[in-house]
Amino acid sequence: MNTSAADKNDKHKTKMQKQKQRIDSQIEKNSLEKGVMIFLTGDGKGKTSSAFGMVLRALGYNHKVGVVQFIKGQQLSGEELYLKNKLPDVQFYQMGTGFTWDTQDRSSDIEAAEKTWSVAQRMLKDNTLDLVILDEITYMLSFKYLDPDTIINSIKGRPFGQSVVVTGRGGGSRLKEIADTVSEVKEIKHAYNNGIKARKGVDY
Amino acid sequence: MNTSAADKNDKHKTKMQKQKQRIDSQIEKNSLEKGVMIFLTGDGKGKTSSAFGMVLRALGYNHKVGVVQFIKGQQLSGEELYLKNKLPDVQFYQMGTGFTWDTQDRSSDIEAAEKTWSVAQRMLKDNTLDLVILDEITYMLSFKYLDPDTIINSIKGRPFGQSVVVTGRGGGSRLKEIADTVSEVKEIKHAYNNGIKARKGVDY
């Protein structure tokens, strides 16, 4: 090794030692062990898939998981197939109506939303569940299909150790307030706007 | 139903019919069926979990998947456990060195990065794989552990039907250019900064 490379390695080591100190001291400070509420919002791709990644992560520890999807296309999705065929232990409920622009029927949408919410509400009271996913529930708020107070209170009143992941692009200002972690997924670009067909196993 | 509610429902129906027309016409225009490259960047929580959500989605269709993780903590992760124990058919390789601030050793990091990249490169040539995940590879670029041209060319030269998901916060300006879809995951807030311990099955 020449001197310049050795020098680079030394500098790297010092810098990394400092970074490790910073990270370790933050880890040490963080002592509160509780279920977290995560809110994934924004217009970009990756919110629902991120929620399902956490399902997989939780299942790695044999945690118990419940998933409620508040909206779905008429197309079958990969996550739906996987949950139904491979993960019978995951509690899974889907509002079976298609997108609201498919149904075009407000009162049947509201009825379906309320039925779906009652499943979610039961999960949010179930202290055997480690993780609950409320996928696309924000649409139910922006369309005023469900009462925000009821949802906020149910999430806040969930069992102490239970984590909740909420996804959806609009209608989430109050969800932001009560969340421990909020990520906004911004669309920088999307294949969809470039003539590329939605891709099975990636987009749905 | 009173007049006002009926009126609301009618308005809703008209609005949704228009929205459906817009969406359907975009779907019709999109005819190019090819594997996509998705780049998930930004400082917020949800990039790796989103990639793993797409793994689950792809497996729903019995697609073949390869996953390479370029960085890992010394802690075991839920996704690692799940892949190893439940998904032996997924090709999975992990750079087994810990974070670069844990190793503090630049030359051994580079060696590990190169070895890991050779696995990724093989996957990017394998036309039996429908989906390849390159998790946290951007760190290898920002630390200058790997050559960006080689990575860009391998991704661009992959089999036509193969999709690639690349994650990581920094070092991705050239990846952005070649990606079909780019989402920037912005941290709005994070439990971590509020004294809450990283949560098993959610954060790792």
Side-chain angles (χ1 to χ4, degrees), chain B residues 7-70:
Chain B
D7 195 42
K8 221 170 178 175
N9 287 355
D10 281 350
K11 272 193 192 145
H12 176 85
K13 189 171 174 142
T14 312
K15 197 173 150 194
M16 289 302 119
Q17 279 171 338
K18 279 188 194 149
Q19 185 160 354
K20 185 167 168 56
Q21 274 168 13
R22 265 199 311 276
I23 289 169
D24 286 350
S25 97
Q26 181 70 43
I27 289 172
E28 214 169 295
K29 268 199 290 190
N30 289 353
S31 56
L32 188 56
E33 292 207 49
K34 63 162 197 140
V36 287
M37 178 196 161
I38 295 171
F39 180 38
L40 302 168
T41 186
D43 61 356
K45 176 183 172 39
K47 299 180 292 294
T48 295
S49 52
S50 180
F52 279 93
M54 286 184 254
V55 170
L56 187 150
R57 204 168 255 176
L59 293 173
Y61 295 107
N62 295 312
H63 285 178
K64 281 197 69 185
V65 180
V67 176
V68 181
Q69 290 196 297
F70 279 85

Side-chain angles (χ1 to χ4, degrees), chain A residues 101-175:
Chain A
W101 50 87
D102 289 321
T103 65
Q104 298 166 14
D105 181 337
R106 196 168 166 272
S107 39
S108 76
D109 278 357
I110 291 177
E111 206 177 302
E114 281 168 353
K115 199 175 154 197
T116 308
W117 168 247
S118 73
V119 178
Q121 203 165 24
R122 190 174 40 70
M123 289 184 186
L124 292 169
K125 284 179 186 158
D126 181 349
N127 64 17
T128 68
L129 289 176
D130 301 284
L131 179 64
V132 173
I133 309 290
L134 306 178
D135 190 38
E136 315 273 29
I137 197 175
T138 60
Y139 289 96
M140 304 300 111
L141 296 174
S142 51
F143 280 111
K144 297 193 172 31
Y145 286 175
L146 294 176
D147 170 46
D149 287 326
T150 312
I151 293 176
I152 299 287
N153 290 334
S154 295
I155 293 175
K156 282 167 80 174
R158 73 190 188 279
F160 185 77
Q162 186 183 86
S163 293
V164 181
V165 180
V166 176
T167 79
R169 60 170 77 185
S173 54
R174 294 192 50 205
L175 290 165

Side-chain angles (χ1 to χ4, degrees), chain A residues 56 59-60 82 87, chain B residues 78-87:
Chain A
L56 186 149
L59 293 173
Y82 193 78
L87 300 173
Chain B
E79 64 267 28
E80 188 184 337
L81 287 167
Y82 193 78
L83 285 184
K84 283 190 178 161
N85 299 332
K86 312 270 173 73
L87 300 174

Side-chain angles (χ1 to χ4, degrees), chain B:
Chain B
M1 198 186 290
N2 60 35
T3 332
S4 139
D7 195 42
K8 221 170 178 175
N9 287 355
D10 281 350
K11 272 193 192 145
H12 176 85
K13 189 171 174 142
T14 312
K15 197 173 150 194
M16 289 302 119
Q17 279 171 338
K18 279 188 194 149
Q19 185 160 354
K20 185 167 168 56
Q21 274 168 13
R22 265 199 311 276
I23 289 169
D24 286 350
S25 97
Q26 181 70 43
I27 289 172
E28 214 169 295
K29 268 199 290 190
N30 289 353
S31 56
L32 188 56
E33 292 207 49
K34 63 162 197 140
V36 287
M37 178 196 161
I38 295 171
F39 180 38
L40 302 168
T41 186
D43 61 356
K45 176 183 172 39
K47 299 180 292 294
T48 295
S49 52
S50 180
F52 279 93
M54 286 184 254
V55 170
L56 187 150
R57 204 168 255 176
L59 293 173
Y61 295 107
N62 295 312
H63 285 178
K64 281 197 69 185
V65 180
V67 176
V68 181
Q69 290 196 297
F70 279 85
I71 217 166
K72 76 169 285 264
Q74 283 155 333
Q75 218 161 23
L76 218 61
S77 70
E79 64 267 28
E80 188 184 337
L81 287 167
Y82 193 78
L83 285 184
K84 283 190 178 161
N85 299 332
K86 312 270 173 73
L87 300 174
D89 290 344
V90 171
Q91 293 178 32
F92 178 47
Y93 186 86
Q94 208 173 38
M95 189 164 119
T97 54
F99 290 114
T100 192
W101 51 86
D102 289 321
T103 65
Q104 299 167 11
D105 182 337
R106 198 168 165 274
S107 39
S108 77
D109 277 359
I110 291 177
E111 206 177 301
E114 281 168 355
K115 199 174 153 197
T116 309
W117 168 247
S118 73
V119 178
Q121 203 164 26
R122 191 173 40 69
M123 289 183 185
L124 292 169
K125 284 179 185 158
D126 181 349
N127 63 17
T128 68
L129 288 176
D130 301 286
L131 178 66
V132 173
I133 309 289
L134 306 177
D135 190 37
E136 315 274 27
I137 197 174
T138 60
Y139 289 95
M140 304 301 111
L141 296 175
S142 51
F143 281 112
K144 298 194 174 25
Y145 288 174
L146 294 176
D147 171 45
D149 287 326
T150 311
I151 294 176
I152 299 286
N153 290 334
S154 296
I155 293 175
K156 281 167 79 173
R158 73 189 188 279
F160 186 77
Q162 186 183 83
S163 293
V164 181
V165 180
V166 176
T167 78
R169 59 172 78 187
S173 54
R174 296 193 46 206
L175 291 165
K176 256 183 210 169
E177 281 167 34
I178 64 159
D180 300 295
T181 296
V182 179
S183 291
E184 185 193 344
V185 183
K186 282 184 63 174
E187 178 177 304
I188 307 296
K189 56 177 163 173
H190 199 298
Y192 186 77
N193 299 319
N194 236 338
I196 299 171
K197 243 187 142 151
R199 190 83 181 154
K200 206 186 253 191
V202 174
D203 289 306
Y204 62 91

